[in-house]
Amino acid sequence: MSRRPGQVGVLDVGCFSAHLLVVSGSPLNPVVSHKTRLRLDQALDRHNRLRPEGVEQVVTAVRTARRIAERAGVAGIVPFATSVIRDAPNADQVIAEVARRTGTRLRVLPGPEEARLAYQAARHWFGWHVGPLLVLDVGGGTVELAAGQDVEPSFTRSLPFGARTMTRRLALRGTAPRDHRGLAREQVLVHDRVVAALEGTSVADHRAVGCSKVFQQLARLAGARPQHEGPFVPRTLRLDDLRGWIPRLARMPAPRRARLPGISRHRAEQSLAGALVAQALMVATGHDEVEICPWSTREGLLLSLIGAGDDDENYRVA
């Protein structure tokens, strides 16, 4: 079966879902969109290895995506896994097991490549004449940063401060949510590492864009319009609002956070760490406000496939 002209697709296997997305001509024109819910954060051992029950979740999700794609007459999907699998010590074994049982070999993108794709997605979203752009992406395992003034970023970095990573780090260090000194220490650590990563790069005058669920949910928490009003509604996250919410989140158990605007049930436990990291990024980069972009790495990959057809040497379709 060959890919239909003008159609490209990806299977994005992350911590909380495996999202099959096939589009025609633009990420704004979905032909197929299907999510299989995952909870891989609950299937990690203390060394961040994915346990057998997590592998089973991924196998089931990949099989489901293949079946849906085949029924829709879609082939040539690019399957990729994010940091929850990429950074697992047993990643090679997980990928091999999934391939053996499903016939689909998941690909992993290095952190800097995820940052580059998120940057390209944001440039497409805001327009190529947006000017100097800084992209901040707080994922589950890592934080991606990218900046530049042209089609390609001049700067990309990936740092191990994702919301899931920081939540586990806080727990391992015995830092309870209400331990304000401990939380402050971790925030300073993130801030200092970001400043060091940015050494020699000036981004304070760049337009700052948040390209992740973490930023989207924090913006909604701070008063941005809900997602059901559509992707084209302008949304921002202000540093002052974020600072006001962090101590409130620290006082709440996860079930109470899940009842707040924008905070989904499966991300509630990680919402405090995500807020701490987002604040550290904004302070370290010199931005009091971040604009929210609904596109990120997945859409950047789709755009690369749309532009390259079947001949892209980095993302050759399966």
Side-chain angles (χ1 to χ4, degrees), residues 70-252:
E70 288 169 0
R71 286 177 179 171
V74 177
I77 302 300
V78 176
F80 75 99
T82 59
S83 66
V84 67
I85 293 177
R86 180 191 69 205
D87 298 334
N90 62 335
D92 290 344
Q93 297 97 308
V94 171
I95 291 170
E97 178 70 4
V98 172
R100 183 183 69 82
R101 295 175 60 187
T102 69
T104 296
R105 187 168 190 85
L106 296 173
R107 310 171 188 199
V108 291
L109 304 177
E113 178 63 5
E114 287 194 7
R116 185 186 75 85
L117 292 170
Y119 173 90
Q120 291 199 328
R123 275 219 170 269
H124 271 86
W125 182 262
F126 287 103
W128 291 111
H129 301 294
V130 68
L133 191 67
L134 168 67
V135 170
L136 307 173
D137 188 338
V138 181
T142 56
V143 166
E144 273 68 56
L145 302 92
Q149 302 186 48
D150 299 314
V151 174
E152 292 289 339
S154 58
F155 168 93
T156 58
R157 291 291 187 278
S158 180
L159 301 172
F161 297 123
R164 181 185 68 255
T165 299
M166 290 301 293
T167 299
R168 290 169 69 89
R169 175 185 170 88
L170 292 171
L172 289 171
R173 292 170 69 89
T175 303
R178 299 189 186 194
D179 177 8
H180 299 300
R181 290 186 178 181
L183 296 176
R185 284 194 300 269
E186 297 302 321
Q187 197 166 36
V188 168
L189 169 70
V190 177
H191 173 276
D192 290 348
R193 283 287 300 274
V194 173
V195 169
L198 290 169
E199 186 176 4
T201 302
S202 177
V203 295
D205 62 341
H206 286 40
R207 187 172 184 171
V209 173
C211 288
S212 63
K213 287 289 186 183
V214 168
F215 274 107
Q216 289 178 27
Q217 294 196 353
L218 290 173
R220 176 69 185 113
L221 179 65
R225 304 304 302 170
Q227 294 300 311
H228 68 75
E229 294 188 8
F232 299 110
V233 176
R235 297 175 175 91
T236 61
L237 174 64
R238 291 194 293 268
L239 182 58
D240 285 345
D241 292 334
L242 184 56
R243 282 176 168 150
W245 268 105
I246 286 176
R248 297 172 67 181
L249 290 173
R251 290 194 296 267
M252 295 181 187

